[in-house]
Amino acid sequence: MRYAKNFLYIVGLPALLLIGWVLWSAQSTSFFVPTWEQMTNAFSTTWTWSRMTTDVFPSVGRLIAGIIVSIILGIVVGLLVGSFRWLRQLMEPTMEFFRAVPPVVLIPVFMLLIGIGDDMKIAVIVLGAVWPILLNTVEGVRSMDEVLSDTSHTYRISGVARIRYLILPSAMPQIMAGIRQSLSIALILMVISEMFASSAGLGYTIIQFQRSFAIPEMWSGIVVLGLIGVIMSFIFQIVERKVLAWYHGQREMENAG
């Protein structure tokens, strides 16, 4: 019964939205609102295996590469900045400056400095997706329990052991929250980066459909983006339950008490 209830929670709202869209589009005469039949035909004829291998899979590969680099860079720099007050005071103005600059406006600069290949697209993703992880890591390190910190100093726990057994577990809930935020940012920037000086990719394909007034195909590309976002969300939830199993168990015990 519990699994059936959870399943209804997951599919209930999407099913209602799908039914509402089918009923609305069936009565709409707008050229920009395709019917259910047009959408299904466009989806089946457009997103074939050959297009998946030339447009979707390379885009997903760049997205994954950008997320991995963002996670590594955000956690490493966040641990350093959060652990040393002088470093935080030194880097805070610079970080606030670059965080305020939209990554999209730097695409022409990256095109000149890096080129128009995959490196540029991954750099755009990293520049936007790294900040939630970095800032959440800094705050997670700063909010570490002082009693635990003093106890580790008493027992002379330092270096890698201190980071692995004290700092990372204490900051991990906020780090995972930052990673969750960065996923949607990375997906958006993946699409935008492929709209500039690109000849392949999901973003390029969608913008080409829009320019050629292939409206059902354009909407089908947006559906593909949404499905990628849903899959990313489910994968993240599974990883989060594994990484933060101790944290969720502690919260359940506190709520039960």
Side-chain angles (χ1 to χ4, degrees), residues 196-252:
F196 294 87
S198 181
S199 59
L202 195 50
Y204 168 80
T205 303
I206 292 174
I207 202 68
Q208 289 299 114
F209 287 149
Q210 182 263 331
R211 289 173 177 172
S212 60
F213 292 95
I215 304 302
E217 289 78 8
M218 180 193 72
W219 280 108
S220 68
I222 296 173
V223 171
V224 172
L225 279 176
L227 292 175
I228 293 175
V230 171
I231 293 172
M232 287 171 53
S233 177
F234 280 122
I235 294 175
F236 175 81
Q237 291 178 25
I238 294 172
V239 174
E240 184 187 37
R241 290 193 195 102
K242 296 291 185 181
V243 174
L244 297 180
W246 62 271
Y247 177 75
H248 293 303
Q250 181 182 0
R251 293 292 297 272
E252 290 177 1

Side-chain angles (χ1 to χ4, degrees), residues 70-89:
S70 299
I71 292 173
I72 296 174
L73 189 62
I75 292 177
V76 172
V77 177
L79 288 175
L80 292 173
V81 174
S83 299
F84 301 100
R85 180 178 298 178
W86 64 269
L87 184 59
R88 184 168 62 252
Q89 293 174 345

Side-chain angles (χ1 to χ4, degrees), residues 25-183:
S25 63
Q27 314 219 349
S28 176
T29 58
S30 174
F31 173 73
F32 300 100
V33 181
T35 62
W36 170 255
E37 291 79 9
Q38 290 175 325
M39 278 291 296
T40 52
N41 290 335
F43 197 94
S44 60
T45 57
T46 301
W47 302 106
T48 58
W49 179 255
S50 61
R51 188 176 290 276
M52 296 286 285
T53 55
T54 56
D55 291 323
V56 179
F57 293 158
S59 296
V60 174
R62 289 188 288 268
L63 175 65
I64 294 173
I67 292 173
I68 292 175
V69 174
S70 299
I71 292 173
I72 296 174
L73 189 62
I75 292 177
V76 172
V77 177
L79 288 175
L80 292 173
V81 174
S83 299
F84 301 100
R85 180 178 298 178
W86 64 269
L87 184 59
R88 184 168 62 252
Q89 293 174 345
L90 177 66
M91 294 188 62
E92 187 172 8
T94 304
M95 289 194 304
E96 290 298 329
F97 173 81
F98 283 106
R99 185 173 71 91
V101 176
V104 179
V105 303
L106 294 178
I107 291 180
V109 179
F110 285 160
M111 290 170 58
L112 292 174
L113 297 178
I114 305 176
I116 60 174
D118 291 346
D119 294 342
M120 181 273 290
K121 300 177 178 64
I122 294 173
V124 172
I125 295 172
V126 172
L127 185 62
V130 72
W131 297 111
I133 304 172
L134 194 156
L135 297 177
N136 275 270
T137 303
V138 172
E139 292 304 316
V141 174
R142 292 181 61 186
S143 62
M144 185 174 55
D145 191 343
E146 293 183 2
V147 176
L148 291 176
S149 181
D150 294 337
T151 303
S152 68
H153 283 300
T154 302
Y155 285 96
R156 297 181 180 179
I157 301 175
S158 60
V160 177
R162 177 180 170 85
I163 295 174
R164 179 180 178 183
Y165 296 109
L166 178 63
I167 298 178
L168 272 180
S170 299
M172 192 55 68
Q174 289 184 261
I175 292 175
M176 297 302 291
I179 295 175
R180 177 186 288 273
Q181 296 172 13
S182 70
L183 293 180

